[in-house]
mmCIF file of all heavy atoms in Angstrom:
data_model
loop_
_atom_site.group_PDB
_atom_site.id
_atom_site.type_symbol
_atom_site.label_atom_id
_atom_site.label_comp_id
_atom_site.label_asym_id
_atom_site.label_seq_id
_atom_site.Cartn_x
_atom_site.Cartn_y
_atom_site.Cartn_z
ATOM 1 N N GLY B 155 25.432 -20.976 105.582
ATOM 2 C CA GLY B 155 24.512 -21.792 104.802
ATOM 3 C C GLY B 155 24.061 -21.019 103.576
ATOM 4 O O GLY B 155 22.892 -21.109 103.163
ATOM 5 N N THR B 156 24.984 -20.268 102.974
ATOM 6 C CA THR B 156 24.596 -19.398 101.865
ATOM 7 C C THR B 156 23.976 -20.165 100.701
ATOM 8 O O THR B 156 22.878 -19.839 100.244
ATOM 9 C CB THR B 156 25.817 -18.609 101.355
ATOM 10 O OG1 THR B 156 26.494 -18.054 102.483
ATOM 11 C CG2 THR B 156 25.398 -17.516 100.404
ATOM 12 N N GLY B 157 24.675 -21.191 100.238
ATOM 13 C CA GLY B 157 24.163 -21.940 99.095
ATOM 14 C C GLY B 157 22.797 -22.538 99.400
ATOM 15 O O GLY B 157 21.887 -22.524 98.555
ATOM 16 N N HIS B 158 22.648 -23.041 100.613
ATOM 17 C CA HIS B 158 21.383 -23.649 101.030
ATOM 18 C C HIS B 158 20.240 -22.631 100.946
ATOM 19 O O HIS B 158 19.219 -22.885 100.298
ATOM 20 C CB HIS B 158 21.537 -24.168 102.463
ATOM 21 C CG HIS B 158 20.288 -24.713 103.063
ATOM 22 N ND1 HIS B 158 19.950 -26.038 102.971
ATOM 23 C CD2 HIS B 158 19.289 -24.110 103.742
ATOM 24 C CE1 HIS B 158 18.788 -26.227 103.583
ATOM 25 N NE2 HIS B 158 18.375 -25.070 104.061
ATOM 26 N N THR B 159 20.409 -21.469 101.557
ATOM 27 C CA THR B 159 19.299 -20.505 101.574
ATOM 28 C C THR B 159 19.035 -19.953 100.178
ATOM 29 O O THR B 159 17.884 -19.730 99.817
ATOM 30 C CB THR B 159 19.568 -19.333 102.535
ATOM 31 O OG1 THR B 159 20.803 -18.723 102.199
ATOM 32 C CG2 THR B 159 19.619 -19.790 103.972
ATOM 33 N N VAL B 160 20.092 -19.741 99.412
ATOM 34 C CA VAL B 160 19.885 -19.174 98.073
ATOM 35 C C VAL B 160 19.189 -20.202 97.169
ATOM 36 O O VAL B 160 18.256 -19.879 96.438
ATOM 37 C CB VAL B 160 21.211 -18.686 97.460
ATOM 38 C CG1 VAL B 160 21.001 -18.191 96.033
ATOM 39 C CG2 VAL B 160 21.801 -17.558 98.306
ATOM 40 N N LEU B 161 19.608 -21.450 97.261
ATOM 41 C CA LEU B 161 18.966 -22.468 96.419
ATOM 42 C C LEU B 161 17.503 -22.684 96.837
ATOM 43 O O LEU B 161 16.626 -22.844 95.984
ATOM 44 C CB LEU B 161 19.738 -23.791 96.480
ATOM 45 C CG LEU B 161 19.185 -24.902 95.584
ATOM 46 C CD1 LEU B 161 19.217 -24.494 94.112
ATOM 47 C CD2 LEU B 161 19.947 -26.201 95.761
ATOM 48 N N TYR B 162 17.232 -22.678 98.137
ATOM 49 C CA TYR B 162 15.852 -22.863 98.582
ATOM 50 C C TYR B 162 14.974 -21.704 98.105
ATOM 51 O O TYR B 162 13.839 -21.896 97.667
ATOM 52 C CB TYR B 162 15.792 -23.020 100.114
ATOM 53 C CG TYR B 162 15.972 -24.457 100.567
ATOM 54 C CD1 TYR B 162 17.002 -25.237 100.045
ATOM 55 C CD2 TYR B 162 15.113 -25.047 101.477
ATOM 56 C CE1 TYR B 162 17.170 -26.560 100.434
ATOM 57 C CE2 TYR B 162 15.275 -26.375 101.873
ATOM 58 C CZ TYR B 162 16.300 -27.117 101.344
ATOM 59 O OH TYR B 162 16.460 -28.435 101.720
ATOM 60 N N THR B 163 15.517 -20.498 98.190
ATOM 61 C CA THR B 163 14.766 -19.338 97.700
ATOM 62 C C THR B 163 14.533 -19.449 96.199
ATOM 63 O O THR B 163 13.438 -19.178 95.700
ATOM 64 C CB THR B 163 15.541 -18.041 98.023
ATOM 65 O OG1 THR B 163 15.678 -17.942 99.435
ATOM 66 C CG2 THR B 163 14.815 -16.822 97.495
ATOM 67 N N MET B 164 15.577 -19.857 95.484
ATOM 68 C CA MET B 164 15.472 -19.983 94.028
ATOM 69 C C MET B 164 14.412 -21.024 93.673
ATOM 70 O O MET B 164 13.588 -20.823 92.781
ATOM 71 C CB MET B 164 16.838 -20.404 93.472
ATOM 72 C CG MET B 164 16.989 -20.239 91.985
ATOM 73 S SD MET B 164 17.013 -18.505 91.499
ATOM 74 C CE MET B 164 18.701 -18.065 91.894
ATOM 75 N N ASP B 165 14.434 -22.149 94.382
ATOM 76 C CA ASP B 165 13.481 -23.209 94.086
ATOM 77 C C ASP B 165 12.061 -22.772 94.455
ATOM 78 O O ASP B 165 11.097 -23.111 93.760
ATOM 79 C CB ASP B 165 13.882 -24.494 94.818
ATOM 80 C CG ASP B 165 13.134 -25.701 94.276
ATOM 81 O OD1 ASP B 165 13.102 -25.872 93.038
ATOM 82 O OD2 ASP B 165 12.551 -26.462 95.073
ATOM 83 N N ASN B 166 11.921 -21.999 95.522
ATOM 84 C CA ASN B 166 10.607 -21.448 95.861
ATOM 85 C C ASN B 166 10.075 -20.609 94.702
ATOM 86 O O ASN B 166 8.902 -20.698 94.331
ATOM 87 C CB ASN B 166 10.702 -20.548 97.103
ATOM 88 C CG ASN B 166 10.787 -21.358 98.394
ATOM 89 O OD1 ASN B 166 10.469 -22.530 98.415
ATOM 90 N ND2 ASN B 166 11.237 -20.712 99.449
ATOM 91 N N ARG B 167 10.942 -19.794 94.166
ATOM 92 C CA ARG B 167 10.563 -18.937 93.051
ATOM 93 C C ARG B 167 10.164 -19.803 91.841
ATOM 94 O O ARG B 167 9.200 -19.510 91.138
ATOM 95 C CB ARG B 167 11.750 -18.032 92.717
ATOM 96 C CG ARG B 167 11.532 -17.065 91.599
ATOM 97 C CD ARG B 167 10.924 -15.765 92.094
ATOM 98 N NE ARG B 167 10.604 -14.896 90.956
ATOM 99 C CZ ARG B 167 9.628 -14.001 90.961
ATOM 100 N NH1 ARG B 167 8.886 -13.837 92.024
ATOM 101 N NH2 ARG B 167 9.398 -13.263 89.902
ATOM 102 N N ALA B 168 10.923 -20.873 91.628
ATOM 103 C CA ALA B 168 10.618 -21.775 90.511
ATOM 104 C C ALA B 168 9.248 -22.433 90.708
ATOM 105 O O ALA B 168 8.462 -22.546 89.766
ATOM 106 C CB ALA B 168 11.715 -22.830 90.372
ATOM 107 N N VAL B 169 8.948 -22.835 91.934
ATOM 108 C CA VAL B 169 7.637 -23.432 92.227
ATOM 109 C C VAL B 169 6.551 -22.399 91.940
ATOM 110 O O VAL B 169 5.535 -22.685 91.302
ATOM 111 C CB VAL B 169 7.553 -23.898 93.704
ATOM 112 C CG1 VAL B 169 6.135 -24.344 94.050
ATOM 113 C CG2 VAL B 169 8.534 -25.035 93.962
ATOM 114 N N GLN B 170 6.790 -21.181 92.404
ATOM 115 C CA GLN B 170 5.812 -20.109 92.221
ATOM 116 C C GLN B 170 5.495 -19.890 90.737
ATOM 117 O O GLN B 170 4.343 -19.680 90.366
ATOM 118 C CB GLN B 170 6.376 -18.813 92.833
ATOM 119 C CG GLN B 170 5.437 -17.628 92.744
ATOM 120 C CD GLN B 170 6.109 -16.352 93.262
ATOM 121 O OE1 GLN B 170 7.273 -16.372 93.679
ATOM 122 N NE2 GLN B 170 5.382 -15.251 93.226
ATOM 123 N N LEU B 171 6.534 -19.973 89.888
ATOM 124 C CA LEU B 171 6.339 -19.701 88.456
ATOM 125 C C LEU B 171 5.953 -20.950 87.669
ATOM 126 O O LEU B 171 5.850 -20.913 86.448
ATOM 127 C CB LEU B 171 7.611 -19.094 87.862
ATOM 128 C CG LEU B 171 7.973 -17.692 88.382
ATOM 129 C CD1 LEU B 171 9.319 -17.255 87.829
ATOM 130 C CD2 LEU B 171 6.890 -16.680 88.012
ATOM 131 N N GLY B 172 5.789 -22.063 88.357
ATOM 132 C CA GLY B 172 5.329 -23.268 87.675
ATOM 133 C C GLY B 172 6.382 -24.003 86.861
ATOM 134 O O GLY B 172 6.061 -24.746 85.931
ATOM 135 N N VAL B 173 7.661 -23.802 87.204
ATOM 136 C CA VAL B 173 8.723 -24.553 86.528
ATOM 137 C C VAL B 173 8.612 -26.024 86.949
ATOM 138 O O VAL B 173 8.535 -26.322 88.137
ATOM 139 C CB VAL B 173 10.114 -24.014 86.940
ATOM 140 C CG1 VAL B 173 11.229 -24.920 86.440
ATOM 141 C CG2 VAL B 173 10.297 -22.587 86.452
ATOM 142 N N ALA B 174 8.607 -26.932 85.973
ATOM 143 C CA ALA B 174 8.542 -28.354 86.314
ATOM 144 C C ALA B 174 9.948 -28.866 86.574
ATOM 145 O O ALA B 174 10.870 -28.574 85.812
ATOM 146 C CB ALA B 174 7.910 -29.136 85.173
ATOM 147 N N VAL B 175 10.132 -29.599 87.664
ATOM 148 C CA VAL B 175 11.416 -30.257 87.889
ATOM 149 C C VAL B 175 11.186 -31.761 87.874
ATOM 150 O O VAL B 175 10.386 -32.272 88.657
ATOM 151 C CB VAL B 175 12.053 -29.844 89.233
ATOM 152 C CG1 VAL B 175 13.350 -30.633 89.463
ATOM 153 C CG2 VAL B 175 12.340 -28.349 89.280
ATOM 154 N N HIS B 176 11.823 -32.447 86.960
ATOM 155 C CA HIS B 176 11.755 -33.907 86.945
ATOM 156 C C HIS B 176 13.033 -34.414 87.599
ATOM 157 O O HIS B 176 14.106 -34.310 87.012
ATOM 158 C CB HIS B 176 11.643 -34.433 85.512
ATOM 159 C CG HIS B 176 10.342 -34.037 84.854
ATOM 160 N ND1 HIS B 176 9.950 -34.528 83.634
ATOM 161 C CD2 HIS B 176 9.357 -33.204 85.254
ATOM 162 C CE1 HIS B 176 8.757 -34.012 83.305
ATOM 163 N NE2 HIS B 176 8.395 -33.203 84.284
ATOM 164 N N ASP B 177 12.901 -34.921 88.827
ATOM 165 C CA ASP B 177 14.130 -35.346 89.502
ATOM 166 C C ASP B 177 14.351 -36.841 89.381
ATOM 167 O O ASP B 177 13.515 -37.565 88.854
ATOM 168 C CB ASP B 177 14.169 -34.845 90.949
ATOM 169 C CG ASP B 177 13.108 -35.488 91.840
ATOM 170 O OD1 ASP B 177 12.710 -36.632 91.573
ATOM 171 O OD2 ASP B 177 12.700 -34.822 92.812
#
Side-chain angles (χ1 to χ4, degrees):
Chain B
T156 312
H158 175 91
T159 55
V160 176
L161 183 61
Y162 272 47
T163 299
M164 195 68 79
D165 194 49
N166 282 343
R167 181 88 186 151
V169 172
Q170 182 185 0
L171 293 174
V173 170
V175 176
H176 294 188
D177 67 28

